[in-house]
Amino acid sequence: MSSWLDYTINGLIVGNVYALVAVGLALIFGVSRLINFAQGSIYLVGAYIGWVAVVQLHTPLPLTIIVVAVAAALVGLIIERFGLRPLQNSVRIAPLLATIGISFVLDQLVMLTFSPNPRALPSQLPDVRFQVGGGTIGPLDLLIAGVGLTSALLLFVFLRYSKLGWAVRAASQDRDAAMQMGVDVNRVNQAVFGIAAALGGVSGMLVGMYYNQIDTAMSLQATLKGVVAEVVGGAGNVPGAVIGSLLLGLVESYGVAVFGTSYRNLFAFLLLVVVLVLRPNGLFASARQAPPEPLTGTFIAPSRPVPIPRWALLAAAAIFAILPLFPVSFYVLQTLINAWLLGMLALSLTLVAGTIGQVSLGHAALLAIGAYTSALLSLTFSAPVGLAIIGGGLMSAALGTALISPSFRLRGHYVSIATLAIGEIVSLVILNWESVTRGPIGISGIPPLSLFGYELISPTSIYWFSFVVMVTLALLQGRLLSSHLGRSFRAIRDDDIAARAYGLSLNRYKSLAFIFGGFAAGISGGIAAHLYSYINHETFNTQQSILALTVVILGGLGNVVGAIVGAVALVGLPEMFRIAAEYRILIYGIVLLLLVRFRPQGLLGTM
Amino acid sequence: MTTNAPEPLLALSNVNTFYGQAQVHFDLSITVARGHIVCLLGGNASGKSTTMKIILGLVKPRSGEVMFDGASLIGLTTPQIVRRGISSVPEARRLFADMSVRENILMGAFVRNDRDAVAQDLDKMLTLFPKLGQRLSQRAGSLSGGEQQMVAMARALMSRPRMIVMDEPTMGLSPLYVDRVLELIRTINQEDVSVFMVEQNASLALEIAHEAYVLQTGKIVLSGPARTLKDDPRVRDAYLGGSEAA
């Protein structure tokens, strides 16, 4: 029985760490109604600053904590001032996307500076364990608990007794009214970002010490866990975030105790989805209504699409169609094949995010479902590859829509969180459902592409195959958008209440969009599986979801041609300039930031 | 048209405001004399609330001038304008619902740094609004509409403003509270605080105002001393949004 106490202690300690991240997220959400996806990056930065301090500068522990808090706070202030303040008057999705871009840039900068290899971060504390009841507790546990409690106390005193703290509370309840009392909202934002970053940075350092290891993959995990804890506690609710974090820590710890380590994250995201569906305002909100999100369509930049004459499209399609007939290198064809595959994913996302306004951050999951289905159909049931890929598309359409459907009543940011969580859940189910997916080993020996019994092995044939499939999907989607259905989709995006008042069934139309989008993405994943011949649960990851989103924003949300142009640009240009792979993600992040700031409607305009 | 007092406290001149393509104000000119209650009447979508937002710097006019106590307010942020001596009772009160009544009232003194005097002023508010005394530690969101209006007015007074702008202070209140609010506006005004109020309820507003303006689809169609306007048959036509005022 003693182990249960250990798991409880462990859960509370980990919960404490989550709380440091989640409280920052809650403060920021309270004041600016923004989910700060860069919070995990600050946590990462904090861990590495801690590493520099401990390992290179040999600072004593109290000084290390102060150095990390101050440095992280500075990063937070810079993000607020240069990343977010210029976006104050832009569309509501802009700051959200900007924090995603910032997080890419920060993570990559850390990776380039410190290399992606894990490093040890010693805690400098004696390695002893005290017996408490039936469990044990170490000095590091006490340190984490102490930092958590001290931060909570400081924050309470700040919010309750300082003038700036009052301003933060007032601004988070009614921004305009606070301004009319003379509150400078920019200063409040600064304060909140500084505090959130300091707490996040210290949290990253503590986690590094707890596991005696830091690496750049920590960032996204921390953001996700913080978001889970914050939403469970009720977005913007600071005490709620603390309780949500402890709860999350306990749920994970007990989950691990019963099912094993690889289930830890699965429990976190299931908890999130359950709370989002049943109590979107968090466990402690009195009302069960949907969260207060943008009611009408300012979420996406309104603009007119750039007109492209039909002959120009035909000419471009013709050039790309006959390209392999010319002596182009294998490398060019390979690059364009990647672009066509990404183009299919972008078509799917531009429909879901752009046309019907559900900004999905978990789109790679649809690729994974398509890829696994197609691979398993062809391997286990010896299905012809062509049919297997179609099977992958259908499975992605059905399963993807079924998974997202409980979240149909959510809006804005909450859709993004739900899709992000569902994406993670899909990847975790693939990891853990070993009897079907072969778990962490992945699937190897997937047969190559073939059509009617003919194997497509030469780059030219693969090029034509993927090009034709993408163009077909694009034409279908173009037809869809110009039909009555397309108008209904846009009506729902622009004003879902008005659309409902006109008698449109939101769930039905959202389902249709996800079915079509799921099919396109599933096909892309299916083709990819047969091209790669090996896939595992990490082949299709969140980074790809965000890349697809960048492509779609670059082309113009909802814009079919834009999705393809964006894919070619983001896959092709880095190849053309021979930019080393480790700089690419950095460039994607910068592109996203620049777009959000200077051309939110994308290259070809939103539709 | 308006009073010829030496220098008005607040003067909007030739203000033109747009929301995107749509023009909200057409050459709007309004003055508030020192120590006066001025009331802006008009129907829905006449541009009343936007006028208030212009004064508070929440909306920027495309052209025109807003002068307060001899200095321009154009280009100032809302907090800067509050520090110049204008406070507000926003439409629908807009209290900080999860903060206590006491905290709400003290938020009104956010721009002040004289702690002792603020504490004295809080006591003063409790004599002016005796009902709030028992409610100080209650959540502001749990009060009735009339009580919330009292908190909003106390909050506005706490910055020791020279002028208060009020957006429909009697909206949604029971008749008992309507009278009470009007009486309080008079009391506030007697302490040398000018009041600019936006109202739909013309007959009530004209009872306490010195001057009044009638706004119709962004243009001032009538203005003058409240006494004169009260008896003007055109007032009712104009602010009910009837055809062009004669």
Side-chain angles (χ1 to χ4, degrees):
Chain A
M1 286 312 283
S2 72
S3 66
W4 279 104
L5 189 57
D6 276 333
Y7 281 115
T8 307
I9 293 172
N10 175 269
L12 290 175
I13 296 300
V14 172
N16 238 305
V17 167
Y18 292 159
L20 290 172
V21 177
V23 161
L25 286 171
L27 280 171
I28 291 173
F29 189 90
V31 174
S32 20
R33 296 287 176 271
L34 165 71
I35 292 185
N36 177 21
F37 278 96
Q39 186 74 0
S41 303
I42 295 171
Y43 165 101
L44 178 71
V45 170
Y48 275 87
I49 293 171
W51 181 83
V52 171
V54 170
V55 175
Q56 300 196 316
L57 307 175
H58 308 291
T59 51
L61 187 61
L63 184 60
T64 310
I65 294 177
I66 292 170
V67 166
V68 168
V70 171
L74 275 177
V75 176
L77 291 179
I78 291 171
I79 292 177
E80 191 279 327
R81 180 66 191 82
F82 299 103
L84 298 174
R85 202 180 297 176
L87 300 175
Q88 258 170 8
N89 298 319
S90 51
V91 289
R92 299 204 31 133
I93 195 179
L96 174 85
L97 296 174
T99 60
I100 293 176
I102 290 166
S103 111
F104 267 47
V105 171
L106 279 179
D107 289 0
Q108 289 306 306
L109 287 179
V110 169
M111 194 182 278
L112 290 172
T113 317
F114 295 95
S115 92
N117 301 327
R119 281 158 199 262
L121 178 55
S123 70
Q124 303 160 300
L125 288 170
D127 190 19
V128 291
R129 310 239 7 129
F130 310 110
Q131 292 288 328
V132 178
T136 64
I137 195 162
L140 191 56
D141 297 325
L142 295 175
L143 174 70
I144 292 176
V147 170
L149 289 175
T150 313
S151 315
L153 190 69
L154 286 176
L155 197 62
F156 176 80
V157 170
F158 166 74
L159 289 175
R160 181 70 49 168
Y161 298 106
S162 80
K163 205 159 180 181
L164 192 54
W166 280 44
V168 170
R169 285 162 65 209
S172 69
Q173 286 176 40
D174 191 329
R175 210 183 155 92
D176 274 4
M179 281 167 72
Q180 292 179 39
M181 300 301 118
V183 171
D184 180 347
V185 179
N186 283 335
R187 269 199 65 205
V188 167
N189 268 332
Q190 259 174 1
V192 159
F193 266 87
I195 294 170
L199 294 175
V202 170
S203 169
M205 183 203 70
L206 290 173
V207 169
M209 291 179 172
Y210 194 65
Y211 296 109
N212 193 18
Q213 182 184 320
I214 55 174
D215 64 62
T216 43
M218 292 165 68
S219 164
L220 182 66
Q221 285 304 318
T223 302
L224 294 176
K225 292 299 172 59
V227 168
V228 175
E230 195 223 344
V231 173
V232 168
N237 179 346
V238 174
V242 175
I243 300 173
S245 301
L246 296 177
L247 195 66
L248 176 62
L250 287 175
V251 166
E252 281 187 11
S253 191
Y254 293 143
V256 168
V258 178
F259 296 97
T261 321
S262 59
Y263 283 84
R264 174 181 284 273
N265 292 345
L266 193 56
F267 281 100
F269 296 116
L270 284 176
L271 178 66
L272 174 66
V273 171
V274 168
V275 169
L276 275 180
V277 170
L278 297 181
R279 296 193 71 91
N281 281 320
L283 291 180
F284 311 109
S286 43
R288 252 199 67 184
Q289 82 254 23
E293 268 288 316
L295 290 177
T296 45
T298 45
F299 204 59
I300 280 162
S303 79
R304 282 177 192 287
V306 176
I308 303 171
R310 188 173 287 255
W311 62 262
L313 283 178
L314 283 173
I319 290 171
F320 278 113
I322 60 169
L323 191 72
L325 300 178
F326 295 95
V328 289
S329 71
F330 169 73
Y331 180 69
V332 171
L333 289 186
Q334 190 62 49
T335 304
L336 283 172
I337 291 169
N338 287 338
W340 304 147
L341 288 180
L342 182 59
M344 292 176 217
L345 180 65
L347 283 173
S348 162
L349 185 57
T350 212
L351 177 72
V352 166
T355 308
I356 199 163
Q358 313 294 302
V359 178
S360 158
L361 296 180
H363 234 58
L366 297 171
L367 289 180
I369 296 173
Y372 268 86
T373 308
S374 187
L376 291 172
L377 281 177
S378 58
L379 273 176
T380 320
F381 301 98
S382 318
V385 171
L387 282 180
I389 292 174
I390 292 177
L394 293 175
M395 181 60 98
S396 226
L399 198 56
T401 310
L403 286 174
I404 190 69
S405 59
S407 328
F408 277 164
R409 70 197 197 97
L410 301 174
R411 289 199 186 108
H413 284 91
Y414 290 84
V415 174
S416 302
I417 298 175
T419 49
L420 188 64
I422 291 168
E424 292 295 312
I425 289 173
V426 167
S427 158
L428 290 163
V429 167
I430 290 175
L431 174 66
N432 285 300
W433 197 7
E434 289 190 27
S435 58
V436 174
T437 62
R438 306 184 193 174
I441 304 160
I443 301 182
S444 52
I446 304 169
L449 283 177
S450 70
L451 211 54
F452 309 116
Y454 295 98
E455 288 201 342
L456 307 177
I457 295 186
S458 75
T460 314
S461 56
I462 297 172
Y463 176 93
W464 270 325
F465 176 73
S466 48
F467 182 68
V468 167
V469 171
M470 183 198 67
V471 171
T472 312
L473 287 171
L475 289 174
L476 277 174
Q477 192 161 325
R479 276 298 296 272
L480 186 77
L481 294 188
S482 56
S483 73
H484 164 73
L485 206 54
R487 277 194 301 280
S488 306
F489 284 163
R490 286 189 289 267
I492 288 170
R493 171 193 69 193
D494 290 340
D495 191 335
D496 63 348
I497 291 179
R500 204 157 39 184
Y502 274 103
L504 296 183
S505 153
L506 298 192
N507 288 355
R508 201 152 80 209
Y509 285 98
K510 286 180 183 175
S511 300
L512 281 171
F514 273 95
I515 287 171
F516 190 91
F519 183 73
I523 294 278
S524 171
I527 297 176
H530 296 281
L531 278 184
Y532 302 163
S533 86
Y534 170 75
I535 54 175
N536 67 17
H537 70 284
E538 284 174 331
T539 310
F540 308 99
N541 55 21
T542 306
Q543 223 165 54
Q544 240 163 325
S545 301
I546 307 291
L547 172 61
L549 190 61
T550 311
V551 164
V552 162
I553 292 164
L554 177 66
L557 279 159
N559 194 320
V560 171
V561 180
I564 296 168
V565 171
V568 173
L570 278 193
V571 172
L573 292 183
E575 293 289 351
M576 218 161 82
F577 295 109
R578 311 270 160 154
I579 294 169
E582 58 260 44
Y583 288 98
R584 271 183 209 168
I585 310 276
L586 182 64
I587 288 171
Y588 296 149
I590 293 172
V591 167
L592 187 57
L593 278 176
L594 292 177
L595 277 173
V596 166
R597 174 86 173 81
F598 297 106
R599 201 172 163 83
Q601 74 273 38
L603 292 177
L604 298 185
T606 56
M607 281 177 83
Chain B
M1 289 246 298
T2 51
T3 52
N4 27 358
E7 189 203 25
L9 184 62
L10 177 82
L12 280 75
S13 36
N14 302 316
V15 168
N16 288 288
T17 317
F18 290 77
Y19 283 141
Q21 299 288 317
Q23 187 160 4
V24 183
H25 289 148
F26 297 84
D27 280 326
L28 187 73
S29 295
I30 289 173
T31 56
V32 177
R34 284 166 204 276
H36 275 200
I37 300 176
V38 174
C39 142
L40 181 63
L41 304 171
N44 287 327
S46 58
K48 297 189 313 275
S49 291
T50 306
T51 311
M52 182 164 151
K53 287 180 182 155
I54 293 271
I55 297 171
L56 289 169
L58 291 165
V59 170
K60 309 275 172 224
R62 189 170 290 181
S63 66
E65 182 57 271
V66 181
M67 299 287 284
F68 181 71
D69 200 18
S72 174
L73 296 183
I74 299 288
L76 297 188
T77 64
T78 304
Q80 286 168 331
I81 291 172
V82 175
R83 281 167 202 276
R84 293 276 169 102
I86 301 181
S87 72
S88 58
V89 178
E91 187 177 359
R93 275 87 64 181
R94 306 282 289 265
L95 295 186
F96 305 111
D98 286 330
M99 293 169 85
S100 70
V101 169
R102 193 186 134 83
E103 287 174 324
N104 265 277
I105 298 175
L106 287 174
M107 269 311 290
F110 188 79
V111 293
R112 294 172 57 183
N113 290 315
D114 44 347
R115 276 173 166 254
D116 297 339
V118 168
Q120 281 171 21
D121 281 4
L122 178 62
D123 290 340
K124 221 170 111 188
M125 289 309 135
L126 297 183
T127 47
L128 196 58
F129 307 93
K131 260 200 161 163
L132 299 183
Q134 319 138 32
R135 302 260 187 255
L136 278 181
S137 53
Q138 220 168 307
R139 260 184 81 247
S142 69
L143 301 186
S144 74
E147 289 168 330
Q148 288 195 19
Q149 188 65 44
M150 301 293 136
V151 177
M153 290 173 75
R155 187 176 68 171
L157 283 169
M158 284 299 287
S159 65
R160 291 200 177 161
R162 281 181 291 167
M163 186 172 98
I164 301 186
V165 293
M166 302 188 183
D167 199 346
E168 311 223 4
T170 64
M171 191 178 68
L173 298 187
S174 67
L176 210 70
Y177 267 112
V178 168
D179 288 343
R180 178 94 186 93
V181 165
L182 293 179
E183 199 185 302
L184 279 164
I185 294 176
R186 259 200 202 120
T187 317
I188 292 167
N189 180 241
Q190 275 154 17
E191 308 217 345
D192 210 29
V193 178
S194 306
V195 175
F196 178 74
M197 56 191 273
V198 157
E199 254 302 344
Q200 274 195 328
N201 193 335
S203 51
L204 286 176
L206 289 173
E207 250 170 60
I208 59 164
H210 297 96
E211 284 90 36
Y213 292 79
V214 178
L215 190 62
Q216 191 178 306
T217 54
K219 294 173 192 137
I220 299 291
V221 290
L222 270 176
S223 65
R227 266 173 289 112
T228 339
L229 284 188
K230 204 157 58 175
D231 305 325
D232 193 322
R234 292 174 300 176
V235 167
R236 200 151 283 127
D237 295 346
Y239 98 89
L240 282 175
S243 54
E244 288 297 302

